[in-house]
């Protein structure tokens, strides 16, 4: 039989190993994501919205907790690129982003984006290719607006930090048009009481949005696969459609 003092030492050592193992498991079961602060109804400054519901719900199906840091979209991209977070909300998979991040197979959702103008100074055109040269178009810094936007070389793009600035510049006629995702435009135009002043012009693109995972994280492919699995589970039990309906029907 071992002396009592050795038994105590061994017991303490085993408890320490168990504690370290549990702490490692907890770390592995928590993912840290950057969530943008100005894209309601998908993600807002309070850390709420459709994207939060979908991401939290999907990861909960595979026993992963989500910690979200709410920042500007541009800041979230930088944090994910540097590996300061494991990933970032609501990234459009396109040529400019596919080489920078790891994406899963399942998108969060798709949504339409359009050009908007001030109804007092409408730009009457058939499609985006007919927008007049020199037209000043407001966009959000860091946002993706589809690969075709780079082909619209006649446009003068004006970058701003958030949707309130975008809409205010359009109201003041300091820009001629803006590009907004339609559900987002609906939210902010209503919030600012200018839904009758700012009108939709022509279609820009259909955005297919994903969680983009940091290439600096060795578990990025694993997290992407887990999110795919969780989203499929949400769709299988009907939760996915219920979440979408709760937002898009507002």
């Amino acid at each position: 039989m071992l002396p009592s003092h050795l038994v105590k030492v061994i017991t303490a050592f085993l408890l320490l190993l168990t504690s370290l193992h549990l702490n490692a498991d907890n770390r592995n079961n928590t993912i840290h994501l950057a969530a943008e602060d100005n894209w309601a109804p998908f993600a807002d400054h309070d850390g709420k919205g459709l994207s939060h519901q979908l991401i939290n719900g999907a990861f909960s199906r595979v026993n992963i907790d989500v910690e979200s840091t709410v920042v500007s979209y541009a800041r979230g991209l930088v944090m994910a690129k540097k590996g300061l977070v494991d990933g970032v909300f609501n990234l459009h998979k396109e040529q400019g982003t596919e080489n920078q991040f790891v994406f899963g197979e399942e998108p969060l959702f798709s949504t339409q984006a359009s050009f908007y103008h001030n109804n007092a100074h409408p730009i009457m055109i058939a499609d985006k290719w007919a927008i007049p040269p020199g037209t000043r178009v407001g966009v959000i810094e860091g946002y993706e607006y589809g690969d075709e936007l780079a082909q619209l070389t006649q446009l003068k793009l004006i970058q701003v930090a958030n949707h309130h600035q975008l809409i205010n510049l359009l109201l003041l006629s300091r820009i001629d048009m803006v590009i907004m995702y339609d559900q987002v435009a609906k939210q902010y135009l209503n919030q600012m009481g200018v839904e009758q002043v700012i009108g939709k012009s022509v279609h820009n693109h259909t955005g297919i949005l994903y969680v983009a995972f940091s290439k600096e994280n060795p578990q990025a492919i694993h997290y992407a696969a887990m999110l795919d699995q969780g989203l499929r589970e949400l769709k299988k039990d009907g939760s996915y459609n219920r979440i979408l309906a709760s937002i898009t029907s507002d």
Side-chain angles (χ1 to χ4, degrees):
M1 180 178 292
L2 292 172
S4 60
H5 70 281
L6 286 178
V7 172
K8 291 180 180 178
V9 171
I10 292 171
T11 301
F13 180 69
L14 291 174
L15 288 172
L16 176 61
L17 286 179
T18 301
S19 175
L20 290 173
H21 178 71
L22 289 173
N23 287 336
D25 284 347
N26 286 337
R27 285 195 298 272
N28 291 336
N29 286 334
T30 300
I31 187 169
H32 189 186
L33 301 176
E36 61 191 293
D37 61 358
N38 191 247
W39 211 51
F42 301 104
D44 64 23
H45 62 277
D46 292 322
K48 297 178 180 179
L50 172 116
S51 296
H52 287 274
Q53 294 180 52
L54 289 174
I55 293 167
N56 292 342
F59 273 122
S60 72
R61 293 295 197 278
V62 291
N63 299 314
I64 295 176
D65 294 325
V66 178
E67 291 183 0
S68 298
T69 297
V70 179
V71 293
S72 70
Y73 186 74
R75 176 60 181 159
L77 291 179
V78 171
M79 292 173 70
K81 287 178 183 177
K82 291 183 176 181
L84 301 176
V85 291
D86 299 315
V88 60
F89 277 36
N90 301 334
L91 211 67
H92 183 202
K93 187 193 292 188
E94 61 183 24
Q95 291 177 8
T97 59
E98 285 192 274
N99 294 329
Q100 299 178 29
F101 298 95
V102 173
F103 293 89
E105 296 178 358
E106 296 286 334
L108 292 175
F109 51 83
S110 64
T111 185
Q112 306 291 319
S114 303
F115 286 84
Y116 287 78
H117 56 207
N118 189 324
N119 289 332
H121 309 285
I123 298 178
M124 308 304 292
I125 47 178
D127 56 40
K128 64 183 180 182
W129 305 105
I131 297 175
T135 299
R136 300 165 299 173
V137 177
V139 295
I140 302 290
E141 180 185 5
Y143 274 29
E144 300 86 36
Y145 294 97
D147 292 322
E148 290 181 343
L149 185 61
Q151 300 175 37
L152 299 176
T153 56
Q154 79 274 25
L155 305 184
K156 182 179 181 181
L157 298 181
I158 310 295
Q159 295 189 43
V160 300
N162 58 60
H163 284 88
H164 291 98
Q165 292 179 22
L166 205 62
I167 294 167
N168 280 328
L169 286 175
L170 191 55
L171 290 170
L172 294 170
S173 297
R174 293 183 180 174
I175 53 179
D176 307 304
M177 305 182 87
V178 301
I179 305 175
M180 293 188 287
Y181 286 87
D182 294 343
Q183 286 292 332
V184 178
K186 177 181 177 182
Q187 182 90 4
Y188 286 101
L189 294 176
N190 180 267
Q191 183 185 97
M192 296 174 69
V194 294
E195 62 269 37
Q196 303 302 317
V197 181
I198 305 298
K200 186 190 298 188
S201 179
V202 293
H203 176 76
N204 181 56
H205 78 298
T206 299
I208 302 177
L209 287 303
Y210 292 77
V211 173
F213 297 95
S214 175
K215 284 192 170 182
E216 296 298 314
N217 188 331
Q219 295 193 78
I221 294 175
H222 167 72
Y223 282 137
M226 290 296 95
L227 180 60
D228 282 345
Q229 181 180 334
L231 287 169
R232 289 172 186 138
E233 292 293 328
L234 285 184
K235 291 175 181 178
K236 186 184 298 182
D237 67 18
S239 299
Y240 181 88
N241 285 337
R242 285 193 293 271
I243 293 170
L244 279 178
S246 71
I247 302 294
T248 58
S249 62
D250 288 348

